Amino acid sequence: MNRNYSDYDNELFASIYDYDNPNGPDHDFYRKLADDNGAKSIVDLGCGTGIFTITLVSQERNIVGIDPAHAMLEIAKNRLNGRKVTWIEGTGDKIPVNFADFIFMTGNVAMHIIGNDWYDTLQHIAKGLKEGGMLAFETRNPKAKAWKEWHQENEIRDTPAGKLCETTIIEPPDENGVVTMHIHNKFLNHNQKVYIKQKLQFRNYEQVVKDLECAGLKVLTCYCNWSCVPFKGTSDEKLMIFVAVKK
């Protein structure tokens, strides 16, 4: 798993992550999946600041949060009930073998995993799941061409870290569906600039299903939104939300 997370390993950037990625219907969806399937051992792969991970905590559960960004994990560890989660700095190869009833990749984590790292991560996930264990994640539908809406130029907004000026320059998808984003962040109150070169890989439905099958994971369902409407493959559907099981 390679999320280019050296870019995210910045205290100022980490401090606004929850503000930009709050608890919402996506978290509700994943929590319900865990509850409905009686998951006791759960891995949140690419957990970031732990904003979702921590909500899975209960007396009966064993929760693991994995992320490559030290700054993000420092926030996670200091959350209420943070000591009830095992936090691991790293990537998919850190998933404990034959451990999980459920593995989640929330917030488009799957798209940050590029090229061969994607296939390796799916293999690590399959090894980490118990027999009959489940994987759930979302990824963007390439037919919707979301990258066309991401351009920004010197847009200023208020954040928990003060005023932030953002410029985002987009390189359209290459032959492998990889979009490159050049994100220039100026934290005006701190007189600090943070440049992020972020890559996101768009994969179509058929490719994701094939990749999961090759890793020994069978797709149970795919939704186009958090209300569990089945994905039909049209350009109007922005998301593909996959639920798969270890065969």
Side-chain angles (χ1 to χ4, degrees), residues 57-110:
V57 169
S58 73
Q59 191 171 6
E60 301 82 17
R61 284 177 171 166
N62 191 354
I63 310 296
V64 174
I66 301 175
D67 201 276
H70 180 79
M72 296 282 195
L73 287 180
E74 284 302 301
I75 293 175
K77 291 174 183 177
N78 288 293
R79 289 187 179 280
L80 181 65
N81 291 326
R83 294 184 179 182
K84 296 181 180 179
V85 176
T86 300
W87 304 105
I88 300 174
E89 187 172 331
T91 57
D93 61 334
K94 299 294 186 181
I95 299 172
V97 174
N98 196 33
F99 166 82
D101 300 316
F102 231 117
I103 295 178
F104 294 107
M105 292 189 290
T106 68
N108 292 312
V109 164

Side-chain angles (χ1 to χ4, degrees), residues 30-232:
Y30 289 123
R31 277 191 291 266
K32 188 174 188 301
L33 273 181
D35 292 342
D36 289 351
N37 288 279
K40 301 299 182 185
S41 300
I42 301 174
V43 174
D44 185 10
L45 182 60
C47 64
T49 62
I51 186 173
F52 165 67
T53 325
I54 208 72
T55 67
L56 298 170
V57 169
S58 73
Q59 191 171 6
E60 301 82 17
R61 284 177 171 166
N62 191 354
I63 310 296
V64 174
I66 301 175
D67 201 276
H70 180 79
M72 296 282 195
L73 287 180
E74 284 302 301
I75 293 175
K77 291 174 183 177
N78 288 293
R79 289 187 179 280
L80 181 65
N81 291 326
R83 294 184 179 182
K84 296 181 180 179
V85 176
T86 300
W87 304 105
I88 300 174
E89 187 172 331
T91 57
D93 61 334
K94 299 294 186 181
I95 299 172
V97 174
N98 196 33
F99 166 82
D101 300 316
F102 231 117
I103 295 178
F104 294 107
M105 292 189 290
T106 68
N108 292 312
V109 164
M111 298 184 69
H112 290 264
I113 309 174
I114 309 298
N116 288 333
D117 287 337
W118 169 243
Y119 306 116
D120 292 343
T121 298
L122 292 181
Q123 291 293 335
H124 291 309
I125 287 171
K127 291 177 182 178
L129 287 170
K130 299 176 183 177
E131 184 177 353
M134 301 175 75
L135 166 69
F137 65 94
E138 82 257 30
T139 186
R140 292 181 182 271
N141 176 14
K143 290 183 179 180
K145 299 182 179 180
W147 61 85
K148 291 188 172 183
E149 303 173 2
W150 293 345
H151 178 80
Q152 294 176 294
E153 192 164 348
N154 292 322
E155 294 188 13
I156 298 176
R157 62 187 177 99
D158 292 317
T159 76
K163 290 192 178 297
L164 173 62
C165 179
E166 297 170 296
T167 294
T168 303
I169 300 169
I170 306 297
E171 294 181 25
D174 64 16
E175 65 275 11
N176 296 312
V178 177
V179 170
T180 301
M181 305 170 65
H182 300 273
I183 307 171
H184 301 265
N185 298 283
K186 297 178 184 178
F187 290 90
L188 302 180
N189 295 66
H190 300 267
N191 195 28
Q192 183 173 335
K193 298 179 181 179
V194 180
Y195 167 68
I196 297 172
K197 182 180 180 180
Q198 178 173 286
K199 293 180 179 290
L200 299 174
Q201 188 162 9
F202 285 76
R203 304 174 180 94
N204 62 34
Y205 173 85
E206 292 76 15
Q207 184 65 55
V208 175
V209 171
K210 179 182 176 182
D211 294 344
L212 290 170
E213 287 281 347
C214 288
L217 301 166
K218 180 182 179 181
V219 174
L220 296 178
T221 190
C222 182
Y223 302 116
C224 70
N225 60 32
W226 305 114
S227 299
C228 299
V229 175
F231 178 75
K232 296 180 180 179

